[in-house]
Amino acid sequence: MQTNDLIILCVLLGCMFTYVPVFLCLFFTAAIGLIFFLDMPLGLLIQTLFRSLDNFSLVVVLFFILCGNIMSKGKTVEKLINLANALVSWLPGGLGMAGVIGCGLFGAISGSTVATVVALGGFMIPALMRNGYDEKYTLGLMTTSPNLGVIIPPSISMIFYSMISNVSLEGLFITGFIPGLLIILCVCLYSWLKYRNRTDIKRLPAPRMGDLLAIFKEGFWALMLIVIIFGGIFSGMFTANEAAVVASVYALFVEYFIYRSMSFNDIKDVTVSSAVTSATLLLIVASATCFGRYLTFENIPNRVAEVVVSTIQSPIMFLLAMNILLLIIGMFMDIISATLILGPVFLPLLGPFGVDPMHFGLIMTVNLAIGYCTPPMGVSLFITGALAKRDIIYVSRAIWPFLVIQIGVLFFLTYFPQVVLFLPRMFGYN
């Protein structure tokens, strides 16, 4: 490692450990590298900032954020949870099963873990506690299950990975279905095993067909949003960008005219909130692009690839090393920044080890999603702790059974890529 590399690494880590905002860490480090070490003109930095945002692909991120915020403000979340409750709440541990299924359904619309924690955590945590479920089980479930928001498509992190890797976004979306379903099934099985012999847990009676149809009728408009997004994308009716716009318009129409759960003031508040969230992400995108430009000029991705290929010979060990490294990075860095910075570094390594870029995109997404609920910087830990009025240490202890499930699914999918790539290949995304 050269002296310049060490200085840049120290500057970046120093900024992060002093709680400087991530976008400033990346931009400041990139500016030092480009101007002082590479003697590049300041205009190049400004040009990179502008071009990074002049990208039509970013539209899909902005509108999926808007769609998720509209649903969080309205009644869509309530309808989805009612439907999940009707399906499984009569089983042992059924309300917990409804929680993870609700996270999966909401994640299939919002594409965000944080939005899923906020929307469903405030609803499900009190409900689970009222019905006698253990507090640690409740907090662990509702801290980790929202990870499905970025695993099940549409996933905001997958969108960014597609931008930097040129992998088909639609194909990448399809890879998220099987991991999401496996996590849901494993958590449901764990819930059933944990509560199958407990008599102190309140269980709803098995719904009659008439009641089930009535609940399905109420949740029909919410479910149709999922059908519109995926049916439109995979039928070729519209692109992922257009799907995000259609989903936002549809969600607004349903909440305002059908459920009548939003006023004009609510629409204004949701729009402003979405704009602020989008601006935050765009700042990270712009600064990460500048930092990536510095890495490219220094030829760091290729240098890293040469070192790794000369050190690790086995694809099995390479994937193991990637998983461990990404799990550690996810503890300290948010998923968007990590994807934009590390993606260009890791992509040159895939060819020598025969790893499919689409498969690796899923591995990277699941690893970094787990970072949302791992200390010390897991955002979901802080949100769930605030909702339950518990400190981060207590919540961190509660997540372990569910964390083991997600890591187990991660390693299964890592070493059996055919399970992940079966659906994309079936739809023609090679």
Side-chain angles (χ1 to χ4, degrees):
M1 184 177 286
Q2 301 175 2
T3 305
N4 290 357
D5 300 338
L6 287 173
I7 293 174
I8 288 296
L9 182 62
C10 290
V11 170
L12 180 62
L13 294 178
C15 290
M16 287 185 172
F17 282 116
T18 52
Y19 298 102
V20 175
V22 172
F23 77 92
L24 284 178
C25 294
L26 297 172
F27 180 76
F28 182 62
T29 306
I32 291 175
L34 289 171
I35 295 173
F36 292 102
F37 293 154
L38 297 179
D39 198 26
M40 295 289 180
L42 183 62
L44 177 67
L45 200 61
I46 298 170
Q47 187 182 56
T48 303
L49 282 172
F50 175 77
R51 287 187 175 178
S52 66
L53 300 179
D54 187 23
N55 189 335
F56 187 67
S57 299
L58 292 173
V59 170
V60 66
V61 178
L62 311 185
F63 277 97
F64 274 128
I65 289 172
L66 176 61
C67 181
N69 286 344
I70 290 171
M71 292 185 301
S72 298
K73 189 74 172 180
K75 289 186 176 180
T76 300
V77 174
E78 179 184 340
K79 303 298 182 184
L80 292 175
I81 291 176
N82 288 342
L83 181 60
N85 276 335
L87 293 173
V88 296
S89 283
W90 53 277
L91 294 168
L95 192 58
M97 298 180 192
V100 68
I101 293 172
C103 288
L105 292 173
F106 188 80
I109 304 170
S110 69
S112 168
T113 290
V114 174
T116 308
V117 175
V118 173
L120 275 81
F123 190 94
M124 287 301 301
I125 290 174
L128 286 160
M129 298 289 289
R130 279 197 309 270
N131 284 274
Y133 286 81
D134 300 336
E135 185 178 26
K136 284 191 173 181
Y137 168 85
T138 299
L139 298 185
L141 175 75
M142 296 314 300
T143 302
T144 56
S145 296
N147 290 348
L148 293 167
V150 292
I151 296 172
I152 294 178
S155 164
I156 291 176
S157 61
M158 287 184 180
I159 294 168
F160 286 115
Y161 179 83
S162 175
M163 286 171 52
I164 62 176
S165 65
N166 293 322
V167 169
S168 166
L169 179 57
E170 290 81 3
L172 195 58
F173 275 175
I174 298 177
T175 63
F177 283 116
I178 291 178
L181 289 174
L182 284 176
I183 291 172
I184 290 172
L185 289 173
C186 289
V187 172
C188 288
L189 178 60
Y190 170 74
S191 300
W192 182 82
L193 291 172
K194 183 176 177 64
Y195 288 105
R196 69 188 187 280
N197 295 322
R198 291 276 295 270
T199 57
D200 57 324
I201 302 297
K202 296 180 182 178
R203 286 165 55 184
L204 297 177
R208 295 175 297 178
M209 183 56 68
D211 296 334
L212 195 58
L213 289 175
I215 293 172
F216 179 80
K217 184 179 178 180
E218 285 186 6
F220 172 79
W221 296 104
L223 287 175
M224 280 303 296
L225 184 53
I226 301 175
V227 174
I228 288 172
I229 292 173
F230 297 118
I233 292 175
F234 299 125
S235 68
M237 188 176 298
F238 39 70
T239 65
N241 289 359
E242 294 162 346
V245 178
V246 171
S248 297
V249 174
Y250 176 85
L252 184 60
F253 176 83
V254 168
E255 295 292 357
Y256 188 78
F257 291 103
I258 297 178
Y259 292 152
R260 299 184 182 277
S261 59
M262 294 182 69
S263 63
F264 277 112
N265 285 333
D266 292 331
I267 294 173
K268 182 189 73 173
D269 293 341
V270 165
T271 304
V272 171
S273 172
S274 301
V276 171
T277 304
S278 301
T280 303
L281 282 179
L282 292 177
L283 283 172
I284 294 174
V285 170
S287 55
T289 303
C290 291
F291 187 71
R293 177 64 65 90
Y294 168 75
L295 295 180
T296 302
F297 281 139
E298 285 281 31
N299 199 32
I300 289 177
N302 290 331
R303 284 159 48 196
V304 170
E306 290 173 2
V307 172
V308 172
V309 171
S310 64
T311 306
I312 301 176
Q313 305 298 325
S314 167
I316 294 175
M317 293 305 299
F318 168 72
L319 289 171
L320 177 63
M322 288 294 100
N323 276 328
I324 294 172
L325 181 60
L326 287 169
L327 284 171
I328 294 171
I329 290 170
M331 295 179 182
F332 300 95
M333 187 178 291
D334 70 276
I335 192 169
I336 303 302
S337 302
T339 300
L340 292 170
I341 294 170
L342 299 175
V345 176
F346 292 156
L347 283 169
L349 300 171
L350 305 184
F353 291 103
V355 178
D356 189 295
M358 195 177 291
H359 178 217
F360 186 76
L362 176 72
I363 292 172
M364 191 170 192
T365 299
V366 176
N367 271 294
L368 296 174
I370 292 173
Y372 273 112
C373 57
T374 49
M377 305 294 288
V379 177
S380 299
L381 295 173
F382 292 97
I383 297 174
T384 306
L387 292 172
K389 297 181 180 178
R390 286 288 191 175
D391 59 63
I392 186 175
I393 296 175
Y394 185 88
V395 181
S396 297
R397 290 172 178 166
I399 65 172
W400 286 107
F402 303 96
L403 208 58
V404 168
I405 290 172
Q406 294 194 7
I407 292 175
V409 171
L410 167 65
F411 276 87
F412 171 72
L413 297 171
T414 297
Y415 293 109
F416 294 93
Q418 61 272 21
V419 176
V420 173
L421 299 175
F422 165 72
L423 285 178
R425 288 171 179 167
M426 188 174 70
F427 282 90
Y429 300 106
N430 294 316

